Amino acid sequence: INAEYMGINKSLSALGDVIHSLARKEKHIPYRNSSLPFLLQDSLSSDSKVMMVVNINPSTGSVAESINALNFASRVRKVELGRAKRNVQRC
């Protein structure tokens, strides 16, 4: 289970790096640093609208993890990529 947590944290950290780069409008966005941001690459483009749901645990033993999750969500909320565009394909 520890290895699973480490993998999840690595993916979330890489996603945080991508979001940080997007917020700063950097030329290089590190999508390939982990499979999670790589899979979300199309969804994080300027043509997309993204919603993030953060699940927190109300128990006292999970306070630190919940605060970290809320801080991550706060950083994500500040990123603006532009207006989402309607992309409809008609047959």
Side-chain angles (χ1 to χ4, degrees), residues 24-88:
R24 298 183 79 168
K25 300 189 185 317
E26 295 177 358
K27 285 187 176 189
H28 174 72
I29 310 297
Y31 290 113
R32 294 183 182 261
N33 286 359
S34 176
S35 57
L36 178 64
F38 182 74
L39 291 171
L40 293 174
Q41 184 172 355
D42 290 340
S43 299
L44 296 172
S45 72
S46 61
D47 294 350
S48 301
K49 192 168 203 168
V50 178
M51 182 177 89
M52 175 182 246
V53 177
V54 177
N55 186 20
I56 59 172
N57 187 338
S59 73
T60 56
S62 299
V63 169
E65 190 172 335
S66 294
I67 289 172
N68 285 337
L70 291 171
N71 287 335
F72 181 76
S74 178
R75 286 194 318 267
V76 169
R77 186 173 187 216
K78 294 176 185 174
V79 177
E80 288 188 30
L81 301 176
R83 283 188 87 123
K85 299 174 189 168
R86 180 174 275 185
N87 188 4
V88 178

Side-chain angles (χ1 to χ4, degrees), residues 1-7:
I1 294 178
N2 248 355
E4 184 178 352
Y5 287 135
M6 288 173 53

